[in-house]
Amino acid sequence: MKSSAFLLKPAPLMLALLLSACGSTQKTTTQAETNAPKAEAGQSVPSVPKPPAASAAPAVPAAPAAPVQVEQGVIYVLNDIPYNPDKTIDEKVENECVQLGRQFSDSLVKYANGQKLKVKRVESLPEEGAVVKLTIDNVFSEGHAGVPFNGHQKSVTVTAHYWLNGKEVDSKEFSRNSTGGFWGGFKGSCSVLQHTVNTLGNDVAKWLKTQA
């Protein structure tokens, strides 16, 4: 029994050495963590600069309209007949009846075909060939639909200038009145004015027949 007790005495010494080694390892780890640099509170982390944004490419200007290839025997007219800038046109008519110039041009082409004339609409008039320059010079618009004893009283005045190869040959003023026809009391003002320029298109077509 004494020999067994003697052999067990070194055990506490070994246990102490093991515990000491463990503590040293933990202390070393803690000290390494403590010595690691820490960002101060409130200190911002520097951001990586962003590359400058690419500037937008400049807008490419629209290409100018190609010049009209003049054809023999064709009379050219604007696709949308303008109001005469030198005349005073009722602002309400200009703002509301925005299709009046196009309707006038449509009417001229329609009735010119009936006169065996070839009229072609273009966005810009050529400098050569046969050209009719039209303007809407005056628009009178009184009365309203559905109002007794105060029905539509409309009139439109236009001017036509016939040019041939850059020289003015003739010009004429045309004017028409309208109350809107049989159903005029149920039509709006722009509809009655459309009826008026439709008749004017026929007048101008007949006049062009005498020029061609």
PDB file of all heavy atoms in Angstrom, residues 51-76:
ATOM      1  N   PRO A  51     -15.730  56.298 -59.637  1.00  0.00           N
ATOM      2  CA  PRO A  51     -15.325  56.936 -60.899  1.00  0.00           C
ATOM      3  C   PRO A  51     -16.371  57.948 -61.338  1.00  0.00           C
ATOM      4  O   PRO A  51     -17.553  57.782 -61.079  1.00  0.00           O
ATOM      5  CB  PRO A  51     -15.251  55.741 -61.882  1.00  0.00           C
ATOM      6  CG  PRO A  51     -16.124  54.699 -61.270  1.00  0.00           C
ATOM      7  CD  PRO A  51     -16.010  54.886 -59.784  1.00  0.00           C
ATOM      8  N   PRO A  52     -15.958  59.038 -61.959  1.00  0.00           N
ATOM      9  CA  PRO A  52     -16.929  60.052 -62.401  1.00  0.00           C
ATOM     10  C   PRO A  52     -17.923  59.474 -63.393  1.00  0.00           C
ATOM     11  O   PRO A  52     -17.585  58.628 -64.215  1.00  0.00           O
ATOM     12  CB  PRO A  52     -16.042  61.131 -63.064  1.00  0.00           C
ATOM     13  CG  PRO A  52     -14.782  60.406 -63.434  1.00  0.00           C
ATOM     14  CD  PRO A  52     -14.589  59.343 -62.381  1.00  0.00           C
ATOM     15  N   ALA A  53     -19.185  59.946 -63.275  1.00  0.00           N
ATOM     16  CA  ALA A  53     -20.238  59.458 -64.163  1.00  0.00           C
ATOM     17  C   ALA A  53     -19.973  59.917 -65.582  1.00  0.00           C
ATOM     18  O   ALA A  53     -19.522  61.040 -65.824  1.00  0.00           O
ATOM     19  CB  ALA A  53     -21.598  59.968 -63.701  1.00  0.00           C
ATOM     20  N   ALA A  54     -20.239  59.043 -66.505  1.00  0.00           N
ATOM     21  CA  ALA A  54     -20.017  59.376 -67.915  1.00  0.00           C
ATOM     22  C   ALA A  54     -21.030  60.434 -68.353  1.00  0.00           C
ATOM     23  O   ALA A  54     -22.219  60.323 -68.071  1.00  0.00           O
ATOM     24  CB  ALA A  54     -20.155  58.125 -68.780  1.00  0.00           C
ATOM     25  N   SER A  55     -20.562  61.481 -68.996  1.00  0.00           N
ATOM     26  CA  SER A  55     -21.462  62.544 -69.452  1.00  0.00           C
ATOM     27  C   SER A  55     -22.279  62.057 -70.628  1.00  0.00           C
ATOM     28  O   SER A  55     -21.826  61.255 -71.446  1.00  0.00           O
ATOM     29  CB  SER A  55     -20.647  63.783 -69.867  1.00  0.00           C
ATOM     30  OG  SER A  55     -19.721  63.430 -70.876  1.00  0.00           O
ATOM     31  N   ALA A  56     -23.533  62.560 -70.710  1.00  0.00           N
ATOM     32  CA  ALA A  56     -24.439  62.142 -71.781  1.00  0.00           C
ATOM     33  C   ALA A  56     -23.926  62.649 -73.124  1.00  0.00           C
ATOM     34  O   ALA A  56     -23.394  63.753 -73.231  1.00  0.00           O
ATOM     35  CB  ALA A  56     -25.840  62.681 -71.523  1.00  0.00           C
ATOM     36  N   ALA A  57     -24.081  61.841 -74.116  1.00  0.00           N
ATOM     37  CA  ALA A  57     -23.636  62.225 -75.455  1.00  0.00           C
ATOM     38  C   ALA A  57     -24.509  63.359 -75.972  1.00  0.00           C
ATOM     39  O   ALA A  57     -25.711  63.384 -75.735  1.00  0.00           O
ATOM     40  CB  ALA A  57     -23.721  61.027 -76.401  1.00  0.00           C
ATOM     41  N   PRO A  58     -23.926  64.352 -76.635  1.00  0.00           N
ATOM     42  CA  PRO A  58     -24.732  65.469 -77.151  1.00  0.00           C
ATOM     43  C   PRO A  58     -25.751  64.986 -78.160  1.00  0.00           C
ATOM     44  O   PRO A  58     -25.515  64.036 -78.915  1.00  0.00           O
ATOM     45  CB  PRO A  58     -23.674  66.382 -77.812  1.00  0.00           C
ATOM     46  CG  PRO A  58     -22.508  65.482 -78.081  1.00  0.00           C
ATOM     47  CD  PRO A  58     -22.514  64.454 -76.981  1.00  0.00           C
ATOM     48  N   ALA A  59     -26.931  65.624 -78.140  1.00  0.00           N
ATOM     49  CA  ALA A  59     -28.011  65.237 -79.043  1.00  0.00           C
ATOM     50  C   ALA A  59     -27.611  65.505 -80.490  1.00  0.00           C
ATOM     51  O   ALA A  59     -27.018  66.544 -80.800  1.00  0.00           O
ATOM     52  CB  ALA A  59     -29.288  66.003 -78.708  1.00  0.00           C
ATOM     53  N   VAL A  60     -27.917  64.577 -81.339  1.00  0.00           N
ATOM     54  CA  VAL A  60     -27.593  64.718 -82.753  1.00  0.00           C
ATOM     55  C   VAL A  60     -28.708  65.527 -83.418  1.00  0.00           C
ATOM     56  O   VAL A  60     -29.876  65.157 -83.334  1.00  0.00           O
ATOM     57  CB  VAL A  60     -27.468  63.337 -83.433  1.00  0.00           C
ATOM     58  CG1 VAL A  60     -27.160  63.502 -84.914  1.00  0.00           C
ATOM     59  CG2 VAL A  60     -26.401  62.513 -82.739  1.00  0.00           C
ATOM     60  N   PRO A  61     -28.390  66.659 -84.038  1.00  0.00           N
ATOM     61  CA  PRO A  61     -29.442  67.473 -84.663  1.00  0.00           C
ATOM     62  C   PRO A  61     -30.121  66.704 -85.792  1.00  0.00           C
ATOM     63  O   PRO A  61     -29.513  65.889 -86.480  1.00  0.00           O
ATOM     64  CB  PRO A  61     -28.680  68.694 -85.208  1.00  0.00           C
ATOM     65  CG  PRO A  61     -27.254  68.227 -85.331  1.00  0.00           C
ATOM     66  CD  PRO A  61     -27.058  67.225 -84.233  1.00  0.00           C
ATOM     67  N   ALA A  62     -31.425  66.971 -85.941  1.00  0.00           N
ATOM     68  CA  ALA A  62     -32.192  66.286 -86.975  1.00  0.00           C
ATOM     69  C   ALA A  62     -31.693  66.695 -88.353  1.00  0.00           C
ATOM     70  O   ALA A  62     -31.337  67.854 -88.591  1.00  0.00           O
ATOM     71  CB  ALA A  62     -33.672  66.617 -86.842  1.00  0.00           C
ATOM     72  N   ALA A  63     -31.652  65.740 -89.228  1.00  0.00           N
ATOM     73  CA  ALA A  63     -31.191  66.010 -90.588  1.00  0.00           C
ATOM     74  C   ALA A  63     -32.214  66.889 -91.309  1.00  0.00           C
ATOM     75  O   ALA A  63     -33.415  66.712 -91.143  1.00  0.00           O
ATOM     76  CB  ALA A  63     -31.002  64.699 -91.346  1.00  0.00           C
ATOM     77  N   PRO A  64     -31.745  67.871 -92.068  1.00  0.00           N
ATOM     78  CA  PRO A  64     -32.694  68.726 -92.794  1.00  0.00           C
ATOM     79  C   PRO A  64     -33.477  67.922 -93.819  1.00  0.00           C
ATOM     80  O   PRO A  64     -33.016  66.905 -94.337  1.00  0.00           O
ATOM     81  CB  PRO A  64     -31.772  69.764 -93.479  1.00  0.00           C
ATOM     82  CG  PRO A  64     -30.432  69.095 -93.548  1.00  0.00           C
ATOM     83  CD  PRO A  64     -30.352  68.209 -92.332  1.00  0.00           C
ATOM     84  N   ALA A  65     -34.702  68.396 -94.095  1.00  0.00           N
ATOM     85  CA  ALA A  65     -35.549  67.696 -95.056  1.00  0.00           C
ATOM     86  C   ALA A  65     -34.907  67.703 -96.433  1.00  0.00           C
ATOM     87  O   ALA A  65     -34.305  68.694 -96.861  1.00  0.00           O
ATOM     88  CB  ALA A  65     -36.921  68.361 -95.116  1.00  0.00           C
ATOM     89  N   ALA A  66     -35.003  66.574 -97.097  1.00  0.00           N
ATOM     90  CA  ALA A  66     -34.420  66.461 -98.433  1.00  0.00           C
ATOM     91  C   ALA A  66     -35.165  67.379 -99.390  1.00  0.00           C
ATOM     92  O   ALA A  66     -36.385  67.531 -99.301  1.00  0.00           O
ATOM     93  CB  ALA A  66     -34.502  65.015 -98.911  1.00  0.00           C
ATOM     94  N   PRO A  67     -34.453  68.029-100.305  1.00  0.00           N
ATOM     95  CA  PRO A  67     -35.136  68.912-101.259  1.00  0.00           C
ATOM     96  C   PRO A  67     -36.100  68.134-102.140  1.00  0.00           C
ATOM     97  O   PRO A  67     -35.874  66.969-102.474  1.00  0.00           O
ATOM     98  CB  PRO A  67     -33.972  69.502-102.077  1.00  0.00           C
ATOM     99  CG  PRO A  67     -32.838  68.538-101.893  1.00  0.00           C
ATOM    100  CD  PRO A  67     -33.004  67.981-100.513  1.00  0.00           C
ATOM    101  N   VAL A  68     -37.186  68.800-102.503  1.00  0.00           N
ATOM    102  CA  VAL A  68     -38.215  68.163-103.324  1.00  0.00           C
ATOM    103  C   VAL A  68     -37.708  68.003-104.749  1.00  0.00           C
ATOM    104  O   VAL A  68     -37.169  68.940-105.348  1.00  0.00           O
ATOM    105  CB  VAL A  68     -39.503  68.999-103.309  1.00  0.00           C
ATOM    106  CG1 VAL A  68     -40.556  68.385-104.215  1.00  0.00           C
ATOM    107  CG2 VAL A  68     -40.031  69.128-101.890  1.00  0.00           C
ATOM    108  N   GLN A  69     -37.838  66.793-105.260  1.00  0.00           N
ATOM    109  CA  GLN A  69     -37.503  66.548-106.665  1.00  0.00           C
ATOM    110  C   GLN A  69     -38.690  66.984-107.526  1.00  0.00           C
ATOM    111  O   GLN A  69     -39.753  66.347-107.519  1.00  0.00           O
ATOM    112  CB  GLN A  69     -37.190  65.063-106.875  1.00  0.00           C
ATOM    113  CG  GLN A  69     -35.995  64.553-106.072  1.00  0.00           C
ATOM    114  CD  GLN A  69     -34.691  65.213-106.488  1.00  0.00           C
ATOM    115  OE1 GLN A  69     -34.480  65.522-107.664  1.00  0.00           O
ATOM    116  NE2 GLN A  69     -33.820  65.446-105.515  1.00  0.00           N
ATOM    117  N   VAL A  70     -38.518  68.084-108.219  1.00  0.00           N
ATOM    118  CA  VAL A  70     -39.612  68.675-108.987  1.00  0.00           C
ATOM    119  C   VAL A  70     -39.972  67.770-110.164  1.00  0.00           C
ATOM    120  O   VAL A  70     -39.099  67.311-110.908  1.00  0.00           O
ATOM    121  CB  VAL A  70     -39.219  70.080-109.487  1.00  0.00           C
ATOM    122  CG1 VAL A  70     -40.332  70.657-110.360  1.00  0.00           C
ATOM    123  CG2 VAL A  70     -38.951  70.992-108.300  1.00  0.00           C
ATOM    124  N   GLU A  71     -41.270  67.530-110.311  1.00  0.00           N
ATOM    125  CA  GLU A  71     -41.781  66.720-111.420  1.00  0.00           C
ATOM    126  C   GLU A  71     -42.536  67.617-112.397  1.00  0.00           C
ATOM    127  O   GLU A  71     -43.231  68.556-111.990  1.00  0.00           O
ATOM    128  CB  GLU A  71     -42.715  65.626-110.894  1.00  0.00           C
ATOM    129  CG  GLU A  71     -42.079  64.677-109.890  1.00  0.00           C
ATOM    130  CD  GLU A  71     -43.088  63.689-109.341  1.00  0.00           C
ATOM    131  OE1 GLU A  71     -43.921  63.182-110.126  1.00  0.00           O
ATOM    132  OE2 GLU A  71     -43.053  63.437-108.120  1.00  0.00           O
ATOM    133  N   GLN A  72     -42.392  67.304-113.646  1.00  0.00           N
ATOM    134  CA  GLN A  72     -43.086  68.071-114.674  1.00  0.00           C
ATOM    135  C   GLN A  72     -44.588  67.823-114.590  1.00  0.00           C
ATOM    136  O   GLN A  72     -45.042  66.689-114.422  1.00  0.00           O
ATOM    137  CB  GLN A  72     -42.560  67.656-116.057  1.00  0.00           C
ATOM    138  CG  GLN A  72     -43.022  68.548-117.204  1.00  0.00           C
ATOM    139  CD  GLN A  72     -42.395  69.931-117.164  1.00  0.00           C
ATOM    140  OE1 GLN A  72     -41.329  70.127-116.578  1.00  0.00           O
ATOM    141  NE2 GLN A  72     -43.053  70.905-117.775  1.00  0.00           N
ATOM    142  N   GLY A  73     -45.369  68.905-114.680  1.00  0.00           N
ATOM    143  CA  GLY A  73     -46.820  68.778-114.680  1.00  0.00           C
ATOM    144  C   GLY A  73     -47.441  68.638-113.292  1.00  0.00           C
ATOM    145  O   GLY A  73     -48.644  68.375-113.180  1.00  0.00           O
ATOM    146  N   VAL A  74     -46.633  68.827-112.241  1.00  0.00           N
ATOM    147  CA  VAL A  74     -47.128  68.717-110.857  1.00  0.00           C
ATOM    148  C   VAL A  74     -47.143  70.101-110.219  1.00  0.00           C
ATOM    149  O   VAL A  74     -46.191  70.882-110.365  1.00  0.00           O
ATOM    150  CB  VAL A  74     -46.245  67.761-110.024  1.00  0.00           C
ATOM    151  CG1 VAL A  74     -46.723  67.738-108.574  1.00  0.00           C
ATOM    152  CG2 VAL A  74     -46.270  66.357-110.611  1.00  0.00           C
ATOM    153  N   ILE A  75     -48.215  70.417-109.514  1.00  0.00           N
ATOM    154  CA  ILE A  75     -48.318  71.668-108.751  1.00  0.00           C
ATOM    155  C   ILE A  75     -48.126  71.313-107.279  1.00  0.00           C
ATOM    156  O   ILE A  75     -48.813  70.423-106.752  1.00  0.00           O
ATOM    157  CB  ILE A  75     -49.679  72.344-108.967  1.00  0.00           C
ATOM    158  CG1 ILE A  75     -49.903  72.632-110.455  1.00  0.00           C
ATOM    159  CG2 ILE A  75     -49.771  73.632-108.156  1.00  0.00           C
ATOM    160  CD1 ILE A  75     -51.292  73.172-110.785  1.00  0.00           C
ATOM    161  N   TYR A  76     -47.232  72.015-106.630  1.00  0.00           N
ATOM    162  CA  TYR A  76     -46.900  71.698-105.238  1.00  0.00           C
ATOM    163  C   TYR A  76     -47.597  72.675-104.288  1.00  0.00           C
ATOM    164  O   TYR A  76     -47.685  73.874-104.552  1.00  0.00           O
ATOM    165  CB  TYR A  76     -45.379  71.748-105.027  1.00  0.00           C
ATOM    166  CG  TYR A  76     -44.656  70.662-105.790  1.00  0.00           C
ATOM    167  CD1 TYR A  76     -44.170  70.902-107.082  1.00  0.00           C
ATOM    168  CD2 TYR A  76     -44.492  69.396-105.238  1.00  0.00           C
ATOM    169  CE1 TYR A  76     -43.522  69.901-107.792  1.00  0.00           C
ATOM    170  CE2 TYR A  76     -43.849  68.385-105.946  1.00  0.00           C
ATOM    171  CZ  TYR A  76     -43.364  68.643-107.219  1.00  0.00           C
ATOM    172  OH  TYR A  76     -42.740  67.641-107.915  1.00  0.00           O
TER     173      TYR A  76
END
